[in-house]
Amino acid sequence: MKYLISCLILLCSFSTLVHSQNFRGADKSPMDVAYLPDNFAHDRKAGEEAIAKAYYSRPNKSDRIVFGGIIPFGKVWRVGANEAVEFKTFKDLIIGGEKLKAGTYSLFAIPGETEWTIIINADLDYWGAFKYDESKDVIRFSVDSKSLPEVVEAFSIKFEDLGNKTAVMRMGWDKTMVEIPISY
C-alpha cells in the first residue's frame, strides 16, 4: 500500500511539473533588435557606447499588399507587428530635425503614399496602436517614402552610421522604405 501511495504521489507531481512546462509557440512575427552603431551588441569594442536601439517585431509580406492594403494609408500604425516598436536613445539626439532627450519611447507612423509622419510617443508596452494616445506624443515629423527595386519580405529596421555624428534609421517592408535622419 505504501508503494502504491508513493507511486501516486510521484505521478501527480510529474503531471503538475509537465503541465507547468507549457510554453507559448513561436510568434509569426519574431522580435528583432537594431542598434546604432549597427550590430552593436555583437560587434561591440571596449569603450564603445550605443547611441540608440529599436526592439521590433518582423511581420512578413506573405503575398499581401502591404501599404495601402493591410497597412492603410493615413492611419496610425504601430510600425512592425505586435507591440509598438520600443525605441531607446542612450543620449540626446536630433531625429527628423527634432530634439529628443535620452530615454525609452514607442515609435508609430502614419504611412502615406509619398510621405510618412513619424511619431515618437512616451507611452510604452501596448500591443498594436489600438490604445495609441496622441496626447503622449513627444515629437512628430515627416519623411519621404521611397520605392525599392526589390521586395523586402520581412519588415526591417537598420541603422547606418554616416560619420560626423550623423546616421540614418531605415525602415523597409515590401517595396517601400523610409529614412529617418539622426544626429548626436
Side-chain angles (χ1 to χ4, degrees), residues 87 89 91-95 98-103 105 120 138-139:
F87 181 70
T89 67
K91 52 179 69 180
D92 294 352
L93 303 176
I94 296 179
I95 181 166
E98 302 287 334
K99 291 181 182 180
L100 181 65
K101 291 195 175 291
Y105 305 93
I120 308 289
V138 177
I139 57 174

Side-chain angles (χ1 to χ4, degrees), residues 99-111:
K99 291 181 182 180
L100 181 65
K101 291 195 175 291
T104 304
Y105 305 93
S106 57
L107 177 67
F108 294 92
I110 303 172

Side-chain angles (χ1 to χ4, degrees), residues 59-71 73 77 116 146-156 171-177:
N60 285 304
K61 175 178 169 39
S62 301
D63 294 323
R64 300 178 289 181
I65 297 170
V66 176
F67 298 107
I70 60 170
I71 308 300
F73 291 127
W77 174 46
W116 287 21
K146 299 177 181 183
S147 184
L148 297 171
E150 294 183 24
V151 169
V152 176
E153 177 62 30
F155 173 75
S156 299
M171 296 190 296
W173 193 17
D174 195 359
K175 287 191 156 197
T176 301
M177 180 182 68

Side-chain angles (χ1 to χ4, degrees), residues 1-14:
M1 186 69 163
K2 251 183 176 177
Y3 178 74
L4 183 60
I5 291 173
S6 295
C7 286
L8 270 172
I9 291 171
L10 184 63
L11 184 61
C12 288
S13 297
F14 181 71

Side-chain angles (χ1 to χ4, degrees), residues 151-163:
V151 169
V152 176
E153 177 62 30
F155 173 75
S156 299
I157 296 176
K158 183 175 182 180
F159 290 95
E160 182 182 351
D161 193 333
L162 303 174

Side-chain angles (χ1 to χ4, degrees), residues 106-127:
S106 57
L107 177 67
F108 294 92
I110 303 172
E113 290 184 53
T114 60
E115 183 178 86
W116 287 21
T117 300
I118 305 298
I119 303 165
I120 308 289
N121 187 283
D123 216 358
L124 298 170
D125 301 316
Y126 279 106
W127 195 95

